[in-house]
């Protein structure tokens, strides 16, 4: 990496301090050229230096700062890194940033610091992604998974399987190349079978854990749906414990979409309260209705709210019909009032619960149902060695398939070089997960999703 990059690494806004970070061969010189204080090119590595930052002409004072100088290779990117701790605030921080750019630094792209750490071999791809996950984690559980990945537990698991594959592959090679030497370890079918079996179960367990725990990271996208006045907003408010949605008894109050997030057993529920579903001529409400129906396919969970104090209306029936193939909970709300509702036969009784938003624990059933449905209690106690995004999980599944292919080839007494192809494929795919082999395009896309300055 020849050029030196710069970015504001703290959130943009008013705060006590902001950090402008540089990485690259010229980082120290660029800062030193507009710094008055110790000569930064001569200070020891990993020191914090007090001084003043000026503009390029070194006449206009920009800020009083503390400058951290960290010399390669023991830095985040493996390059020289300088961090300028400025006073917080948008204008000052931007001025310092501009000074660095006019002195020769280039504005970093999103995630470019981490990309450099990866390209310089400082961290693997799983760890790079874990850094972003850690920053973005919204629950303690998600944070623990990211931290575990960052510690290398998941990468080590993948590396262990690759190591086994490598050993197996090399002994197969020896057998192919020197079949006449029988003092060289003979890779018997049994040995291959045993190794394959062990790798298969490790991968299978990893995929299973990852699929269960991915919910911890993404949360459960939940849509609350029902005709006006059944109590959707009240339920949302009870879940969120604040008055986010406006609750009134005029039908159709929640016209647009209200969103909120709540943690249940440490798992994030992203809730959307959709506009009341109702046959209507009102344009605004109609848009809302269409929106709410269009959100059903994307949801992980649909909470259908019905008023237990009323008979089932055609709209209710329509909602039940539209959500019948989804993971859903049917809430018979207002159970503090007389029960008049009769659900059509054929509805899964397991999915029905009764609630009310009047009593303190009126929606406890709903929370319990969510915990039960998504096995949230079990997830919590699970081990945190897991893959966390679609990229990683899809590749792990592909690797698992090649192991299955290898197994099948063994069972069908295929020649050893056919088995070798499957094992080699598995080795390469696992390499992609940790970024041992990668394509430029994938890497570029991946880091683009990072925030600027990371
Ligand atoms: P939405 O239009 O479906 O979002 O319904 P709201 O949450 O705005 O509630 C409509 C009306 O029903 C309000 O007057 C609420 O106070 C009332 N309500 C909500 N939940 C209950 C409940 O469990 N029992 C009773 N009796 N009234 C409720």
């Amino acid at each position: 990496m020849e050029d030196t990059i710069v970015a504001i690494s703290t959130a943009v806004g008013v705060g006590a301090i902001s950090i402008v970070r540089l990485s690259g061969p010229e980082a120290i010189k660029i800062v030193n050229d507009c710094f008055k204080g110790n000569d930064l090119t001569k200070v020891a590595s990993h020191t914090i230096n007090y001084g003043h930052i000026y503009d390029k002409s070194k006449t206009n004072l920009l800020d009083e700062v503390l400058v951290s100088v960290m010399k390669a290779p023991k830095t985040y990117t493996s390059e020289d890194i300088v961090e300028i701790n400025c006073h917080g605030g948008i204008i000052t921080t931007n001025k310092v940033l501009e000074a660095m750019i006019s002195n020769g630094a280039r504005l970093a792209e999103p995630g470019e610091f981490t990309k450099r750490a990866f390209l310089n071999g400082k961290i693997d791809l799983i760890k790079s992604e874990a850094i972003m996950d850690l920053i973005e984690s919204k629950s303690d559980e998600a944070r623990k998974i990211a931290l575990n990945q960052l510690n290398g537990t998941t990468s080590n698991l993948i590396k262990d399987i690759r190591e086994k594959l490598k050993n197996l592959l090399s002994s197969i090679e020896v057998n192919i190349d020197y079949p006449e030497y029988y003092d060289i370890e003979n890779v018997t079918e049994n040995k291959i079978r045993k190794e394959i079996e062990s790798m298969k179960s490790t991968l299978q367990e990893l995929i299973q854990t990852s699929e269960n725990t991915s919910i911890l990271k993404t949360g459960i996208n939940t849509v609350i749906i029902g005709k006006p006045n059944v109590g959707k907003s009240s339920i949302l408010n009870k879940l969120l414990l604040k008055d986010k949605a406006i609750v009134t008894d005029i039908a159709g109050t929640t016209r647009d979409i209200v969103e909120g997030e709540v943690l249940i057993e440490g798992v994030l529920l992203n809730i959307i309260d959709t506009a009341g579903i109702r046959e209507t001529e009102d344009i605004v409400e109609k848009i809302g209705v269409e929106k709410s129906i269009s959100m059903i396919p994307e949801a992980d969970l649909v909470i259908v709210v019905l008023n237990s104090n009323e008979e089932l209306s055609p709209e209710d029936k329509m909602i039940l019909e539209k959500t019948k193939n989804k993971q859903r909970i049917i809430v018979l709300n207002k159970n503090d009032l007389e029960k008049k509702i009769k659900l059509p036969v054929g509805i899964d009784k397991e999915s029905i619960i009764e609630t009310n938003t009047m009593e303190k624990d009126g929606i406890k059933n709903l929370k319990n149902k969510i915990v039960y449905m998504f096995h949230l209690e079990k997830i919590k106690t699970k081990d945190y060695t897991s893959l966390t995004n679609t990229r990683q999980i899809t590749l792990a599944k592909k690797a698992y398939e090649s192991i299955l292919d290898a197994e099948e080839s063994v069972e069908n007494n295929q020649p050893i070089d056919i088995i070798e192809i499957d094992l080699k494929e598995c080795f390469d795919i696992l390499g992609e997960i940790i970024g041992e082999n990668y394509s430029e395009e994938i890497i570029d896309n991946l880091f683009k999703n990072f925030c600027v300055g990371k």
Side-chain angles (χ1 to χ4, degrees):
M1 254 53 61
E2 317 83 52
D3 61 351
T4 296
I5 51 171
V6 63
I8 300 170
S9 285
T10 38
V12 177
V14 180
I17 54 165
S18 288
I19 298 174
V20 174
R21 172 151 75 164
L22 297 94
S23 177
E26 298 293 310
I28 300 173
K29 185 182 176 303
I30 289 171
V31 180
N32 198 48
D33 282 352
C34 45
F35 180 73
K36 283 188 187 169
N38 288 340
D39 181 350
L40 299 176
T41 61
K42 300 214 169 90
V43 300
S45 183
H46 294 77
T47 54
I48 298 176
N49 304 274
Y50 169 80
H52 294 88
I53 289 279
Y54 287 77
D55 66 0
K56 202 179 175 197
S57 66
K58 245 183 173 173
T59 48
N60 296 316
L61 177 66
L62 298 181
D63 200 6
E64 181 187 28
V65 295
L66 283 174
V67 177
S68 312
V69 174
M70 291 163 275
K71 293 183 189 169
K74 286 191 174 171
T75 67
Y76 183 64
T77 55
S78 274
E79 303 172 339
D80 283 349
I81 285 195
V82 180
E83 287 181 0
I84 309 169
N85 291 255
C86 330
H87 284 103
I90 301 162
I91 305 281
T92 306
T93 319
N94 272 321
K95 284 272 176 214
V96 174
L97 178 74
E98 280 165 22
M100 299 306 128
I101 293 172
S102 58
N103 262 349
R106 169 176 65 75
L107 191 64
E109 287 162 18
E112 204 174 353
F113 290 89
T114 310
K115 186 177 171 185
R116 285 188 171 201
F118 166 69
L119 293 175
N120 290 330
K122 187 91 190 170
I123 47 173
D124 66 27
L125 216 47
I126 289 192
K127 288 187 186 175
S128 312
E129 287 171 315
I131 290 167
M132 201 60 219
D133 290 348
L134 193 62
I135 295 171
E136 288 183 345
S137 57
K138 287 181 176 163
S139 69
D140 202 38
E141 304 298 304
R143 181 188 66 81
K144 282 183 199 159
I145 292 179
L147 212 55
N148 212 33
Q149 285 201 333
L150 201 57
N151 285 341
T153 322
T154 316
S155 305
N156 288 342
L157 188 102
I158 304 273
K159 283 178 189 159
D160 279 354
I161 307 178
R162 285 189 99 220
E163 195 55 36
K164 278 189 183 156
L165 280 166
K166 207 165 91 187
N167 291 338
L168 198 56
L169 281 165
S170 53
S171 31
I172 289 177
E173 288 279 319
V174 171
N175 268 253
I176 293 172
D177 294 346
Y178 307 100
E180 65 278 19
Y181 296 114
Y182 56 78
D183 55 330
I184 293 172
E185 192 189 359
N186 193 17
V187 185
T188 61
E189 217 177 275
N190 264 350
K191 183 182 171 195
I192 300 181
R193 213 178 251 140
K194 226 171 106 193
E195 290 283 350
I196 287 181
E197 189 53 46
S198 131
M199 291 185 279
K200 196 177 99 179
S201 73
T202 313
L203 271 175
Q204 196 175 22
E205 198 180 320
L206 178 68
I207 294 167
Q208 217 155 47
T209 313
S210 307
E211 285 188 326
N212 285 341
T213 51
S214 68
I215 220 169
L216 293 176
K217 186 185 154 201
T218 52
I220 303 167
N221 287 326
T222 310
V223 168
I224 303 184
I225 197 160
K227 67 177 188 203
N229 247 15
V230 290
K232 295 183 301 297
S233 308
S234 310
I235 289 173
L236 177 70
N237 289 340
K238 274 256 172 188
L239 283 171
L240 302 180
L241 298 174
K242 57 187 172 200
D243 283 343
K244 199 153 190 182
I246 315 147
V247 181
T248 67
D249 53 4
I250 308 158
T253 312
T254 320
R255 289 194 158 177
D256 215 331
I257 281 167
V258 184
E259 291 184 61
E261 290 175 342
V262 65
L263 282 174
I264 295 186
E265 290 287 332
V267 176
L268 193 73
L269 215 62
N270 312 307
I271 313 174
I272 292 171
D273 174 17
T274 58
I277 297 234
R278 197 169 57 146
E279 293 290 332
T280 173
E281 286 310 306
D282 182 319
I283 297 289
V284 184
E285 198 167 291
K286 208 166 187 169
I287 294 169
V289 170
E290 281 163 12
K291 249 191 193 169
S292 53
I293 292 179
S294 74
M295 285 180 138
I296 297 174
E298 298 302 313
D300 303 314
L301 169 66
V302 178
I303 299 177
V304 175
V305 186
L306 304 169
N307 182 350
S308 76
N309 182 237
E310 277 176 9
E311 284 177 24
L312 215 57
S313 70
E315 296 102 304
D316 293 329
K317 287 182 185 153
M318 183 269 283
I319 297 167
L320 287 172
E321 182 58 28
K322 293 240 182 224
T323 56
K324 69 176 181 205
N325 295 323
K326 292 296 296 187
Q327 175 106 292
R328 72 175 174 187
I329 299 177
I330 298 170
V331 175
L332 308 184
N333 193 38
K334 309 199 186 184
N335 77 343
D336 51 312
L337 305 175
E338 187 198 340
K339 187 168 177 177
K340 293 184 183 160
I341 198 164
K342 275 201 195 80
L343 287 178
V345 280
I347 288 201
D348 176 17
K349 287 208 166 52
E350 276 270 301
S351 65
I352 307 165
I353 53 153
E354 296 192 13
T355 60
N356 72 75
T357 62
M358 299 292 147
E359 292 160 25
K360 192 167 164 277
D361 281 337
I363 63 156
K364 207 167 130 199
N365 286 346
L366 176 57
K367 284 192 179 173
N368 290 343
K369 195 75 185 174
I370 296 170
V371 171
Y372 175 77
M373 255 179 145
F374 290 87
H375 313 291
L376 302 187
E377 270 164 346
K378 277 194 210 145
I379 291 175
K380 249 192 111 174
T381 55
K382 268 253 171 207
D383 148 29
Y384 294 106
T385 308
S386 116
L387 303 165
T388 47
N389 60 36
T390 321
R391 185 194 75 82
Q392 296 170 3
I393 296 176
T394 311
L395 286 170
K397 283 184 178 165
K398 269 171 78 182
Y400 179 68
E401 270 164 31
S402 2
I403 281 284
L404 290 184
D405 287 347
E407 188 180 42
E408 202 183 310
S409 303
V410 175
E411 295 309 320
N412 294 335
N413 294 319
Q414 295 280 346
I416 203 152
D417 40 354
I418 300 282
I419 301 165
E420 191 190 12
I421 293 173
D422 296 326
L423 295 177
K424 177 81 178 56
E425 190 177 84
C426 183
F427 180 81
D428 289 342
I429 298 168
L430 292 176
E432 273 181 63
I433 300 183
I434 51 176
E436 200 87 340
N437 36 337
Y438 58 88
S439 80
E440 288 282 326
E441 200 189 336
I442 288 180
I443 295 299
D444 284 348
N445 271 333
L446 200 139
F447 286 101
K448 257 186 214 143
N449 296 324
F450 275 52
C451 50
V452 176
K454 189 68 218 174

